[in-house]
Each structure stands twice: as C-alpha cells, then as structure tokens.
C-alpha cells in the first residue's frame, strides 16, 4: 500500500491560488481532525498540506492514529473530534470500515464527518456501505491534490457545523437522516430524483411543487443535447418526465434554473427555490415553488440535505457507470454475460412455458478478425447484434462472449429457421460485405433448470453439440445430453484412478507367418480391468483417454511395458517382435521420439523388435508432424506399420511418403473374403504392399476359409481368433512354449 501512496505524495503540494475565502483567519478555536493511516508519511504530508488552513474562522488541530484499534480508542476519548481522515486498508483489508462501524454503531456518533481514503482502488468499499454509514466522501489518494484535500476538509467541517447547528431541531435532523436512508436505497437516476423531491416535501411543506432538472446529454437515453430536462416532478404532470423544462410552460422557472446552474449557487426567493446540486462532474438544479419564504432553520436543514443529495447524486451516477461496466457490453451496448445470467434467472423462474433461451456462435470469426483486423471484427459484431435485434418478439439479446450472443424469447419466434434466416444476407463492416453463418444451441423452458448459471451451461452444451453436427447447425438441449456428459466425466475419473492404481494391463495377440504357421510376433493390446473385475471395452475407454489427455501417460506406459516384455522374450524367443498402437496426441509431444528411443535404450531393446502401428485416419490431422516423427524413428531401426488401411480418408500420396514396413488389412475386408467377389479390396491392398515392397498382415481371421483365400492372394502374415485371442503376458509366454 505504501509504495503506491508514496509515488503520489507530490500531488498534495500542487499550488492552488483561489482558496482565499477559506483561509481567512478567525478565532483561536480549533477543529479537531483525526488522521488515521498506518503510513507515518501520510500523516506528515496531510498535516503539511493543511498546515495553514483556517476553516470557518478556526484552525485545525490534529490527532493521529496508526491503526483501526488506536483510532477507535482516540475517538472514544475525544468528544471534540469533528472529522476523521480514514485509511480503508490498514492492519486488515476492512480495518477502516470497522472504524466507521464503531463510530456510527457503538459510539452512536452521527455528527463526526468521515472521509475515506485509500491507495488501493481495488479495496473500495461497496456503495451500500458508504451510504449506510454516512461516509462524507471517498477518494483515492491519487485524487487528493492539495486543493481537493482542502476542499474536501472544508466541505466535511462545514457539514459538521451545520449538523451541530440544526441539532437543536431534532425533528428536522431526523427527517434528514431518514431521507438520506431512503435516498441511499435508490440506485437509478429516476428513482433517486423522485425520492429527493419526496424528502423535500417532508423538510419544507406538503404543498410544494418541484422539478429535478439536469442537462440531458449522457443522462437520458437517445438525448444528445445540453438542454435542461426534467428527471422527476412533484405536484406537476408526470408527462413532464424526460421532457425539456420548457415543456413546463413557465418562463420564470426555466430562466431561474438556467441562472442557478450557470451561477453554481442556490437561489432563495420568496415564492421559489433553486437548489444547486453539484458533486464532481455531476450537476443538477431543483426548482421548488413555495407558498411562503423559508425560516432560517429550514434553510440550514435544506443546505445540509442538499449537500447529502449532491453526494448521493454523484454516487448514483457512479453506480450507474459501474452497473454499465459490470452488466453492459462496451462494444455493442448490449447486456453482457453477467446480465444475461440475470435474464436467464428470470427465464428459469418464469411460469411461462412458451419461451426459449439460445446461444448464437459466429463460425470462424477469429479468421475474419485475423485477416481483416480487429476494427472490422468489431464492426461485424455490432452489425450482427443489430441484425439479431430485428427478430423482434420482445426478445432479450446479450453479448456473452467474443463472438457469442445470447437471446431469450418466445418459442414460436426463436426457432432454428428464424435464427438461421438472420444470416442469409451478408453483413456490412466498413467497406466489407461479409457472408457468415452461425451455430445455435437452444433450450426450451420445459428442460431448463432452476438458475441462470445452470441454463447457460445447458445452452452451451447444446451449442457444442451443434458445432460438431455437420448436417444441422443447431441443437436443442435435453436431459440425456447431460447424463451422457456426466457418464463420460465419471468414466474419465475412474480411468484416471484405475491407471494410477495399476488396473490397466497389456495383453498380447500372436501374429503368425501365413506360409510357415510360426509365431513371428504379437500386437500389444490395452485392457482395462476395473476394481470389480469387469472389463471396459477399448472402444469405450481409448476415446475417453484421448479426450482427457490421459492417453499420453498411458501411451508412455504401454511403450515401457512392451519393452519389458521384449526383454523377457529375448531369453527364449528372441526372434519375436511386438507391435504397439500410437495416437495423434502422442505425436504432438515435442519429446515423443526421444521418449521412445530413451525407453528402448533403458531396456536395452533392439530397435527392429519394436513396431509402431498408426491408423490411416491419424494422417488427416497434421500429417507432416506424423511423417517427420516416423522418419526419425525409422532411422533408429524401429518398424512402422499402417493399421486399418483402406478404411480412412487419407491420400495415397501420403502412403508414399511414410517410412512403412507393413500394411495391415482391416478385418472389414477379411470377414467375407472367402465369398465370391468379396476379396477385391484385400487383393488390391496385398498387391499394393508387394509393389511397395512392404509386408502385408491381415487381422480378424476367424475361419479356415479366410486363411486359405489369403494364402491364394499372397498375404504374408495373419492374426485373429482362429489362431489365438489376446491374452495376458504370462499366458502369452505359455502359448509360445506350447507352440515351440
């Protein structure tokens, strides 16, 4: 905290030239000011900045506290303290606020003025706290130039004196406090302005008429001029709201309001009041018609009240800015993600069943952003937001992500057809006319859960499904989707735990020479035996392992286990090799090749005894990475086999680039190979292998007829249930011993 404060101490020494009116010397009486801060330098700088200050005829007397606890003790012992300059963050993040609570609640000191200061804007108290505990002002220390500090102190002490004066009229003071409490609960300009006029009736008279006026620019939606507009009225016509003050058709009132605003001071006339409300950059004028002049005490009460009104008026503006920052999208001015969750809360709790919530995701928006620039991208997003709003039907639209919009509306309006139609025409962005399309995830009220966050998750799930759908670009959420996701997450969790607990096993299916019938090697196949002894199919858990990223750890383990098995085989079956399947996530590892080489070196395995199997489909994703890795492995002497050849979509040009040793004929081409006319593809693959001088192995052999046909076609090697099923390592050794 001190580092940020010290770097801004020089602000307190900026010269000010127009404070003469508050530096005039008066009597020897003093105002006691308590400085509370855990940084001694702040005490010195503050006292130095205020050293020559005389406020309302009195000099300042300083008391010092360096912690919240010390401050509470000093305030309890000194009844004459009028102002506390209080650091928010001291021994704890809320030490300053605890002092405030102690002053207001424990000591019941309503007269002491409090100015909160902090060097850490991130620790700013909530607006409700500022209002609830009657905090005079809140400033960051970087804001407090000497002039602003002097002005703040003067305003605070003047406020104290005015409160002390009107204490004689307890009823009036209670009205002010009551009014301030009421005003503190108002967070919009319209309700705050109206509440101010209501409180004025209590302070002045029930028969007054009043208007709360301010310049329209930046305050009233779609108003961009500096004319005075009516924000609230009392005793006139409600039709005046958000209209120019000239609509009042009272020339004198209009003239007085403008004069009060320009002169920046109150005007007390016999039949009217013009109260100047100003704090920071926010100014307004309250015009009041009265039946008789105000008394002195009424004037004093009114001054105090308007001082609080000014602070509240600024706070309401700041609160509105914070609300806009928190709940509005800066680019499109639409509600943002947080506000959309609020809207979804209402959607979920609404009794109307004929409604739908949806997410709209612009396809390939990042490509547009990268190619045409962020400015074009921003213009496109604005255009998309404007186009979606034309769907009408009282739909609620929000921008919930970089290229994602959320919408809620009637089910018969928010249909996939209507949403898709919004993207039929190109969008204008600068000089570009961009044709785009989108994906849509929808959830009807019938399937919606009870909170906005849950509904957002539901439509996001539907959107992800829509993105994966090649035919339709939309999907509705239904409960089965989440059940499937929950099942998948549970399975992944169980797989991770079982892998850590050594529940995965490597089984081996023998591979034989078709001409000699001898075992030449084996394919290593992963098996998952759960803790209850049941097996989970590889077709189920391998995709889960790839999805979760666990396949990388499992893949390394498989290579290591295969090398261990090869080392065991060297004792009696040194001529055998083991084939291991690898997947694309393993290839993406920078150290994939090195890991395999290091593992072989560690187990002292001859490279040609290890064969790596890849599937044809793996080449669809970054084929050059695969080719480069396989080339390095091939250079080390490792054999490479292409599995499931003919079932994928890869180009034959890649087949020529791969450093292959074997082609594997998929079981799909073997099942009916012995039937007439069903061996064409297998024969083609076998002939292709011969042309490329590759060994060809067929898998899935279950019948003697299949074997005989493969012999006729010249296939080199086979594997399948006809010869042996996959088996654990010890059974595989027994099998080999029996074969020998």
């Amino acid at each position: 905290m001190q580092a940020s404060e010290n770097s801004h101490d020089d602000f307190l020494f900026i010269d000010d030239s127009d404070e003469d009116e508050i530096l005039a010397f008066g009597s020897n009486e003093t105002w006691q000011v308590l400085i509370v801060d855990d940084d001694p330098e702040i005490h010195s700088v503050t006292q130095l900045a205020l050293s020559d200050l005389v406020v309302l005829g009195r000099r300042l007397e300083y008391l010092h506290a360096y912690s919240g606890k010390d401050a509470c003790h000093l305030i309890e012992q000194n009844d004459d303290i009028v102002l506390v300059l209080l650091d928010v963050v001291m021994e704890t993040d809320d030490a300053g606020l605890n002092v405030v609570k102690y002053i207001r609640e424990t000591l019941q000191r309503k007269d002491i003025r409090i100015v909160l200061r902090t060097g850490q804007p991130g620790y700013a108290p909530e607006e409700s706290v500022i209002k609830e505990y009657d905090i005079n002002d809140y400033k960051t220390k970087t804001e407090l130039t000497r002039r602003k500090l002097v002005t703040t102190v003067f305003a605070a002490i003047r406020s104290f004196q005015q409160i002390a004066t009107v204490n004689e009229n307890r009823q009036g003071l209670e009205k002010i406090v009551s009014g301030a409490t009421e005003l503190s609960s108002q967070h919009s300009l319209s309700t705050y302005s109206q509440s101010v006029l209501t409180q004025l009736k209590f302070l002045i008279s029930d028969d007054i008429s009043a208007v709360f006026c301010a310049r329209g620019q930046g305050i009233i939606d779609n108003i961009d001029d500096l004319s005075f507009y009516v924000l609230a009225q009392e005793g006139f016509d409600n039709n005046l709201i958000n209209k120019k003050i000239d609509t009042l058709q009272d020339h004198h009132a209009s003239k007085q309001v403008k004069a009060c605003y320009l002169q920046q001071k109150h005007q007390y006339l016999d039949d009217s009041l013009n109260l100047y409300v100003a704090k920071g950059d926010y100014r307004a004028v309250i015009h009041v018609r009265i039946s008789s002049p105000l008394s002195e005490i009424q004037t004093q009460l009114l001054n105090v009240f308007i001082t609080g009104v000014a602070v509240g008026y600024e706070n309401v503006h700041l609160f509105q800015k914070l609300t806009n920052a928190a709940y509005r999208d800066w680019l499109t001015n639409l509600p943002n993600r947080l506000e959309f969750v609020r809207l979804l809360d209402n959607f979920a709790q609404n009794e109307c069943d004929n409604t739908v919530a949806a997410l709209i995701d612009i396809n390939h928006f990042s490509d547009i952003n990268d190619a045409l620039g962020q400015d074009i991208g921003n213009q496109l997003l604005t255009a998309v937001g404007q186009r979606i709003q034309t769907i009408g039907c009282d739909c609620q639209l929000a921008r919930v992500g970089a290229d994602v919009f959320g919408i809620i509306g009637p089910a018969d309006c928010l249909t996939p057809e209507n949403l898709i139609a919004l993207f039929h025409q190109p969008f204008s962005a600068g000089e570009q006319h961009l044709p785009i399309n989108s994906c849509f995830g929808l959830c009807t009220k019938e399937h919606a859960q009870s909170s906005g966050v849950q509904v957002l998750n539901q439509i996001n799930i539907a959107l992800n499904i829509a993105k994966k759908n090649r035919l339709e670009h939309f999907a509705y959420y239904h409960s089965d989707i989440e059940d499937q996701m929950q099942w998948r997450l549970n399975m992944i969790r169980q797989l991770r735990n079982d892998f850590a607990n050594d529940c995965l096993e490597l089984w081996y299916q023998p591979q034989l020479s078709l001409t000699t019938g001898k075992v030449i090697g084996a394919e290593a196949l992963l098996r998952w035996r759960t803790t209850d002894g049941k097996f989970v199919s590889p077709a189920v858990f391998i995709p889960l392992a790839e999805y979760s990223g666990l396949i990388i750890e499992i893949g390394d383990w498989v290579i290591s286990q295969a090398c261990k098995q090869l080392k065991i085989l060297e004792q009696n079956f040194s001529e055998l090799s083991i084939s291991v399947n690898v997947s694309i996530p393993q290839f993406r590892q920078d150290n994939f090749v090195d890991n395999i080489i290091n593992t072989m070196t560690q187990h002292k395995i001859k490279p040609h005894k290890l064969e790596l199997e890849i599937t044809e489909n793996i080449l669809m994703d970054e084929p050059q990475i695969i080719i480069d890795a396989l080339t390095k492995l091939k250079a080390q002497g490792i054999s490479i086999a292409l599995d499931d050849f003919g079932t994928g979509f890869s180009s034959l040009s890649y087949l020529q680039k791969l450093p292959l040793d074997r082609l594997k004929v998929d079981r799909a081409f073997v099942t009916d190979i012995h039937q007439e006319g069903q061996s064409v593809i297998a024969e083609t693959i076998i002939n292709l292998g011969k042309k490329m001088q590759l060994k060809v192995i067929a898998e899935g052999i279950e019948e003697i007829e299949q074997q005989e046909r493969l012999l006729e076609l010249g296939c080199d090697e086979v594997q399948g249930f006809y010869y042996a099923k996959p088996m654990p390592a010890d059974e595989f050794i027994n099998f080999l011993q029996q074969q020998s």
Side-chain angles (χ1 to χ4, degrees), residues 14 65 68 80 83 110 145 156 206 284 298 300 315 348 417 430 433 437 447 496 524 580 617 681 689 708 720:
I14 295 175
D80 295 328
L83 171 62
K110 307 296 184 184
T145 61
D206 284 340
Q298 282 180 310
Q300 292 174 340
N315 287 341
E417 294 75 19
H433 295 280
N437 51 45
H447 293 100
R496 195 176 295 277
V580 175
N617 288 339
I681 296 179
E708 291 174 351

PDB file of all heavy atoms in Angstrom, residues 14 65 68 80 83 110 145 156 206 284 298 300 315 348 417 430 433 437 447 496 524 580 617 681 689 708 720:
ATOM      1  N   ILE A  14       0.679  20.590  -4.952  1.00  0.00           N
ATOM      2  CA  ILE A  14       0.333  21.425  -6.106  1.00  0.00           C
ATOM      3  C   ILE A  14      -0.212  22.757  -5.602  1.00  0.00           C
ATOM      4  O   ILE A  14      -1.072  22.813  -4.724  1.00  0.00           O
ATOM      5  CB  ILE A  14      -0.711  20.723  -6.997  1.00  0.00           C
ATOM      6  CG1 ILE A  14      -0.072  19.460  -7.587  1.00  0.00           C
ATOM      7  CG2 ILE A  14      -1.221  21.643  -8.080  1.00  0.00           C
ATOM      8  CD1 ILE A  14      -1.036  18.629  -8.390  1.00  0.00           C
ATOM      9  N   ALA A  65      -3.680   8.535  14.608  1.00  0.00           N
ATOM     10  CA  ALA A  65      -3.820   7.108  14.930  1.00  0.00           C
ATOM     11  C   ALA A  65      -3.239   6.308  13.771  1.00  0.00           C
ATOM     12  O   ALA A  65      -3.422   6.663  12.606  1.00  0.00           O
ATOM     13  CB  ALA A  65      -5.278   6.734  15.156  1.00  0.00           C
ATOM     14  N   GLY A  68      -6.627   0.886  13.126  1.00  0.00           N
ATOM     15  CA  GLY A  68      -8.047   0.998  13.406  1.00  0.00           C
ATOM     16  C   GLY A  68      -8.332   0.951  14.898  1.00  0.00           C
ATOM     17  O   GLY A  68      -9.185   1.684  15.423  1.00  0.00           O
ATOM     18  N   ASP A  80     -14.483  16.013  20.982  1.00  0.00           N
ATOM     19  CA  ASP A  80     -14.442  17.203  20.132  1.00  0.00           C
ATOM     20  C   ASP A  80     -13.952  16.913  18.713  1.00  0.00           C
ATOM     21  O   ASP A  80     -13.790  17.836  17.916  1.00  0.00           O
ATOM     22  CB  ASP A  80     -13.532  18.270  20.765  1.00  0.00           C
ATOM     23  CG  ASP A  80     -14.097  18.786  22.085  1.00  0.00           C
ATOM     24  OD1 ASP A  80     -15.342  18.818  22.206  1.00  0.00           O
ATOM     25  OD2 ASP A  80     -13.306  19.143  22.976  1.00  0.00           O
ATOM     26  N   LEU A  83     -13.786  15.557  12.444  1.00  0.00           N
ATOM     27  CA  LEU A  83     -13.517  14.969  11.134  1.00  0.00           C
ATOM     28  C   LEU A  83     -12.480  13.862  11.280  1.00  0.00           C
ATOM     29  O   LEU A  83     -11.481  14.022  11.989  1.00  0.00           O
ATOM     30  CB  LEU A  83     -12.986  16.038  10.158  1.00  0.00           C
ATOM     31  CG  LEU A  83     -12.462  15.555   8.796  1.00  0.00           C
ATOM     32  CD1 LEU A  83     -13.566  14.880   7.991  1.00  0.00           C
ATOM     33  CD2 LEU A  83     -11.855  16.720   8.009  1.00  0.00           C
ATOM     34  N   LYS A 110     -23.149  10.376  15.305  1.00  0.00           N
ATOM     35  CA  LYS A 110     -23.669  10.680  13.975  1.00  0.00           C
ATOM     36  C   LYS A 110     -23.111  11.981  13.412  1.00  0.00           C
ATOM     37  O   LYS A 110     -23.261  12.266  12.228  1.00  0.00           O
ATOM     38  CB  LYS A 110     -25.200  10.783  14.009  1.00  0.00           C
ATOM     39  CG  LYS A 110     -25.894   9.576  14.633  1.00  0.00           C
ATOM     40  CD  LYS A 110     -25.655   8.323  13.834  1.00  0.00           C
ATOM     41  CE  LYS A 110     -26.425   7.144  14.407  1.00  0.00           C
ATOM     42  NZ  LYS A 110     -26.135   5.882  13.699  1.00  0.00           N
ATOM     43  N   THR A 145      -5.241  16.054  -4.605  1.00  0.00           N
ATOM     44  CA  THR A 145      -4.311  17.175  -4.692  1.00  0.00           C
ATOM     45  C   THR A 145      -4.548  18.037  -3.456  1.00  0.00           C
ATOM     46  O   THR A 145      -5.512  17.856  -2.709  1.00  0.00           O
ATOM     47  CB  THR A 145      -4.586  17.991  -5.959  1.00  0.00           C
ATOM     48  OG1 THR A 145      -5.918  18.509  -5.881  1.00  0.00           O
ATOM     49  CG2 THR A 145      -4.451  17.117  -7.208  1.00  0.00           C
ATOM     50  N   ALA A 156     -16.352  18.904   4.617  1.00  0.00           N
ATOM     51  CA  ALA A 156     -16.683  17.998   5.715  1.00  0.00           C
ATOM     52  C   ALA A 156     -16.919  18.767   7.009  1.00  0.00           C
ATOM     53  O   ALA A 156     -17.884  18.500   7.743  1.00  0.00           O
ATOM     54  CB  ALA A 156     -15.563  16.984   5.889  1.00  0.00           C
ATOM     55  N   ASP A 206     -45.908  20.194   2.570  1.00  0.00           N
ATOM     56  CA  ASP A 206     -46.601  19.247   1.703  1.00  0.00           C
ATOM     57  C   ASP A 206     -47.148  19.896   0.438  1.00  0.00           C
ATOM     58  O   ASP A 206     -47.443  19.202  -0.536  1.00  0.00           O
ATOM     59  CB  ASP A 206     -47.763  18.596   2.465  1.00  0.00           C
ATOM     60  CG  ASP A 206     -47.261  17.545   3.445  1.00  0.00           C
ATOM     61  OD1 ASP A 206     -46.122  17.077   3.261  1.00  0.00           O
ATOM     62  OD2 ASP A 206     -47.999  17.214   4.388  1.00  0.00           O
ATOM     63  N   ALA A 284     -26.924  19.366 -11.147  1.00  0.00           N
ATOM     64  CA  ALA A 284     -28.363  19.422 -11.402  1.00  0.00           C
ATOM     65  C   ALA A 284     -28.933  20.613 -10.642  1.00  0.00           C
ATOM     66  O   ALA A 284     -28.264  21.224  -9.800  1.00  0.00           O
ATOM     67  CB  ALA A 284     -29.036  18.125 -10.963  1.00  0.00           C
ATOM     68  N   GLN A 298     -35.008  26.108   8.483  1.00  0.00           N
ATOM     69  CA  GLN A 298     -35.356  25.355   7.277  1.00  0.00           C
ATOM     70  C   GLN A 298     -34.270  25.503   6.210  1.00  0.00           C
ATOM     71  O   GLN A 298     -33.917  24.541   5.530  1.00  0.00           O
ATOM     72  CB  GLN A 298     -36.696  25.826   6.723  1.00  0.00           C
ATOM     73  CG  GLN A 298     -37.910  25.293   7.457  1.00  0.00           C
ATOM     74  CD  GLN A 298     -39.198  25.800   6.848  1.00  0.00           C
ATOM     75  OE1 GLN A 298     -39.368  27.006   6.618  1.00  0.00           O
ATOM     76  NE2 GLN A 298     -40.112  24.882   6.579  1.00  0.00           N
ATOM     77  N   GLN A 300     -31.119  26.152   6.823  1.00  0.00           N
ATOM     78  CA  GLN A 300     -29.961  25.375   7.263  1.00  0.00           C
ATOM     79  C   GLN A 300     -30.174  23.880   7.011  1.00  0.00           C
ATOM     80  O   GLN A 300     -29.277  23.184   6.533  1.00  0.00           O
ATOM     81  CB  GLN A 300     -29.704  25.632   8.753  1.00  0.00           C
ATOM     82  CG  GLN A 300     -29.230  27.048   9.056  1.00  0.00           C
ATOM     83  CD  GLN A 300     -29.119  27.315  10.540  1.00  0.00           C
ATOM     84  OE1 GLN A 300     -29.723  26.606  11.349  1.00  0.00           O
ATOM     85  NE2 GLN A 300     -28.350  28.334  10.903  1.00  0.00           N
ATOM     86  N   ASN A 315     -23.007   9.637  -6.497  1.00  0.00           N
ATOM     87  CA  ASN A 315     -22.905   8.191  -6.273  1.00  0.00           C
ATOM     88  C   ASN A 315     -23.830   7.409  -7.203  1.00  0.00           C
ATOM     89  O   ASN A 315     -23.478   6.335  -7.680  1.00  0.00           O
ATOM     90  CB  ASN A 315     -23.226   7.861  -4.808  1.00  0.00           C
ATOM     91  CG  ASN A 315     -22.108   8.277  -3.872  1.00  0.00           C
ATOM     92  OD1 ASN A 315     -20.976   8.476  -4.308  1.00  0.00           O
ATOM     93  ND2 ASN A 315     -22.423   8.429  -2.601  1.00  0.00           N
ATOM     94  N   ALA A 348     -35.648 -18.874 -16.090  1.00  0.00           N
ATOM     95  CA  ALA A 348     -35.795 -20.160 -15.411  1.00  0.00           C
ATOM     96  C   ALA A 348     -36.936 -20.149 -14.406  1.00  0.00           C
ATOM     97  O   ALA A 348     -37.584 -21.175 -14.175  1.00  0.00           O
ATOM     98  CB  ALA A 348     -34.486 -20.533 -14.718  1.00  0.00           C
ATOM     99  N   GLU A 417     -35.082 -22.053 -37.699  1.00  0.00           N
ATOM    100  CA  GLU A 417     -35.284 -21.497 -39.043  1.00  0.00           C
ATOM    101  C   GLU A 417     -35.174 -19.972 -39.026  1.00  0.00           C
ATOM    102  O   GLU A 417     -34.525 -19.373 -39.904  1.00  0.00           O
ATOM    103  CB  GLU A 417     -36.648 -21.916 -39.587  1.00  0.00           C
ATOM    104  CG  GLU A 417     -36.799 -23.408 -39.851  1.00  0.00           C
ATOM    105  CD  GLU A 417     -36.974 -24.228 -38.578  1.00  0.00           C
ATOM    106  OE1 GLU A 417     -37.342 -23.635 -37.531  1.00  0.00           O
ATOM    107  OE2 GLU A 417     -36.732 -25.442 -38.620  1.00  0.00           O
ATOM    108  N   GLY A 430     -17.494  -1.813 -42.272  1.00  0.00           N
ATOM    109  CA  GLY A 430     -16.638  -0.910 -43.036  1.00  0.00           C
ATOM    110  C   GLY A 430     -17.004  -0.994 -44.507  1.00  0.00           C
ATOM    111  O   GLY A 430     -18.175  -0.874 -44.884  1.00  0.00           O
ATOM    112  N   HIS A 433     -18.382  -6.571 -47.167  1.00  0.00           N
ATOM    113  CA  HIS A 433     -19.688  -7.227 -47.089  1.00  0.00           C
ATOM    114  C   HIS A 433     -19.407  -8.708 -46.864  1.00  0.00           C
ATOM    115  O   HIS A 433     -18.949  -9.414 -47.768  1.00  0.00           O
ATOM    116  CB  HIS A 433     -20.500  -6.996 -48.363  1.00  0.00           C
ATOM    117  CG  HIS A 433     -20.865  -5.556 -48.575  1.00  0.00           C
ATOM    118  ND1 HIS A 433     -21.914  -4.949 -47.916  1.00  0.00           N
ATOM    119  CD2 HIS A 433     -20.290  -4.599 -49.353  1.00  0.00           C
ATOM    120  CE1 HIS A 433     -21.983  -3.681 -48.283  1.00  0.00           C
ATOM    121  NE2 HIS A 433     -21.014  -3.439 -49.153  1.00  0.00           N
ATOM    122  N   ASN A 437     -22.010 -17.482 -41.246  1.00  0.00           N
ATOM    123  CA  ASN A 437     -23.064 -18.312 -40.682  1.00  0.00           C
ATOM    124  C   ASN A 437     -22.730 -18.629 -39.237  1.00  0.00           C
ATOM    125  O   ASN A 437     -21.630 -18.321 -38.758  1.00  0.00           O
ATOM    126  CB  ASN A 437     -23.276 -19.598 -41.498  1.00  0.00           C
ATOM    127  CG  ASN A 437     -21.976 -20.341 -41.727  1.00  0.00           C
ATOM    128  OD1 ASN A 437     -21.175 -20.502 -40.807  1.00  0.00           O
ATOM    129  ND2 ASN A 437     -21.748 -20.774 -42.955  1.00  0.00           N
ATOM    130  N   HIS A 447     -37.198 -27.813 -20.396  1.00  0.00           N
ATOM    131  CA  HIS A 447     -35.998 -28.533 -19.982  1.00  0.00           C
ATOM    132  C   HIS A 447     -35.038 -27.677 -19.160  1.00  0.00           C
ATOM    133  O   HIS A 447     -33.980 -28.149 -18.745  1.00  0.00           O
ATOM    134  CB  HIS A 447     -35.252 -29.066 -21.209  1.00  0.00           C
ATOM    135  CG  HIS A 447     -35.992 -30.129 -21.949  1.00  0.00           C
ATOM    136  ND1 HIS A 447     -36.711 -29.875 -23.091  1.00  0.00           N
ATOM    137  CD2 HIS A 447     -36.154 -31.451 -21.689  1.00  0.00           C
ATOM    138  CE1 HIS A 447     -37.267 -30.995 -23.516  1.00  0.00           C
ATOM    139  NE2 HIS A 447     -36.948 -31.961 -22.690  1.00  0.00           N
ATOM    140  N   ARG A 496      -8.695 -42.559 -14.744  1.00  0.00           N
ATOM    141  CA  ARG A 496      -7.503 -41.920 -14.186  1.00  0.00           C
ATOM    142  C   ARG A 496      -7.086 -42.596 -12.878  1.00  0.00           C
ATOM    143  O   ARG A 496      -5.907 -42.874 -12.640  1.00  0.00           O
ATOM    144  CB  ARG A 496      -7.774 -40.427 -13.968  1.00  0.00           C
ATOM    145  CG  ARG A 496      -6.527 -39.595 -13.725  1.00  0.00           C
ATOM    146  CD  ARG A 496      -6.891 -38.119 -13.608  1.00  0.00           C
ATOM    147  NE  ARG A 496      -7.418 -37.593 -14.846  1.00  0.00           N
ATOM    148  CZ  ARG A 496      -6.671 -37.166 -15.851  1.00  0.00           C
ATOM    149  NH1 ARG A 496      -5.352 -37.246 -15.772  1.00  0.00           N
ATOM    150  NH2 ARG A 496      -7.225 -36.678 -16.941  1.00  0.00           N
ATOM    151  N   ALA A 524       0.431 -55.676 -29.085  1.00  0.00           N
ATOM    152  CA  ALA A 524       0.128 -55.329 -27.699  1.00  0.00           C
ATOM    153  C   ALA A 524      -1.201 -54.590 -27.662  1.00  0.00           C
ATOM    154  O   ALA A 524      -1.370 -53.560 -28.323  1.00  0.00           O
ATOM    155  CB  ALA A 524       1.240 -54.466 -27.114  1.00  0.00           C
ATOM    156  N   VAL A 580       2.946 -51.980 -31.249  1.00  0.00           N
ATOM    157  CA  VAL A 580       2.251 -51.094 -30.295  1.00  0.00           C
ATOM    158  C   VAL A 580       1.526 -49.994 -31.068  1.00  0.00           C
ATOM    159  O   VAL A 580       2.091 -49.385 -31.982  1.00  0.00           O
ATOM    160  CB  VAL A 580       3.245 -50.464 -29.302  1.00  0.00           C
ATOM    161  CG1 VAL A 580       2.535 -49.456 -28.412  1.00  0.00           C
ATOM    162  CG2 VAL A 580       3.910 -51.534 -28.458  1.00  0.00           C
ATOM    163  N   ASN A 617      -6.404 -42.811 -40.386  1.00  0.00           N
ATOM    164  CA  ASN A 617      -7.093 -41.550 -40.071  1.00  0.00           C
ATOM    165  C   ASN A 617      -6.197 -40.562 -39.344  1.00  0.00           C
ATOM    166  O   ASN A 617      -6.463 -39.367 -39.320  1.00  0.00           O
ATOM    167  CB  ASN A 617      -8.328 -41.823 -39.214  1.00  0.00           C
ATOM    168  CG  ASN A 617      -9.426 -42.472 -40.022  1.00  0.00           C
ATOM    169  OD1 ASN A 617      -9.440 -42.365 -41.241  1.00  0.00           O
ATOM    170  ND2 ASN A 617     -10.347 -43.159 -39.356  1.00  0.00           N
ATOM    171  N   ILE A 681     -10.867 -55.742 -52.587  1.00  0.00           N
ATOM    172  CA  ILE A 681     -10.124 -54.701 -51.858  1.00  0.00           C
ATOM    173  C   ILE A 681      -8.913 -55.306 -51.162  1.00  0.00           C
ATOM    174  O   ILE A 681      -7.804 -54.753 -51.209  1.00  0.00           O
ATOM    175  CB  ILE A 681     -11.046 -53.992 -50.848  1.00  0.00           C
ATOM    176  CG1 ILE A 681     -12.164 -53.259 -51.595  1.00  0.00           C
ATOM    177  CG2 ILE A 681     -10.253 -53.020 -49.986  1.00  0.00           C
ATOM    178  CD1 ILE A 681     -13.147 -52.553 -50.700  1.00  0.00           C
ATOM    179  N   GLY A 689       0.963 -53.601 -51.418  1.00  0.00           N
ATOM    180  CA  GLY A 689       2.061 -53.832 -50.488  1.00  0.00           C
ATOM    181  C   GLY A 689       3.252 -54.466 -51.170  1.00  0.00           C
ATOM    182  O   GLY A 689       4.412 -54.101 -50.927  1.00  0.00           O
ATOM    183  N   GLU A 708      -7.312 -69.623 -46.151  1.00  0.00           N
ATOM    184  CA  GLU A 708      -6.988 -70.200 -47.457  1.00  0.00           C
ATOM    185  C   GLU A 708      -7.043 -69.146 -48.560  1.00  0.00           C
ATOM    186  O   GLU A 708      -6.207 -69.131 -49.469  1.00  0.00           O
ATOM    187  CB  GLU A 708      -7.943 -71.353 -47.754  1.00  0.00           C
ATOM    188  CG  GLU A 708      -7.722 -72.559 -46.845  1.00  0.00           C
ATOM    189  CD  GLU A 708      -8.773 -73.643 -47.050  1.00  0.00           C
ATOM    190  OE1 GLU A 708      -9.765 -73.364 -47.770  1.00  0.00           O
ATOM    191  OE2 GLU A 708      -8.617 -74.729 -46.481  1.00  0.00           O
ATOM    192  N   GLY A 720      -5.645 -63.296 -35.510  1.00  0.00           N
ATOM    193  CA  GLY A 720      -7.086 -63.394 -35.332  1.00  0.00           C
ATOM    194  C   GLY A 720      -7.445 -64.497 -34.363  1.00  0.00           C
ATOM    195  O   GLY A 720      -6.597 -65.287 -33.930  1.00  0.00           O
TER     196      GLY A 720
END
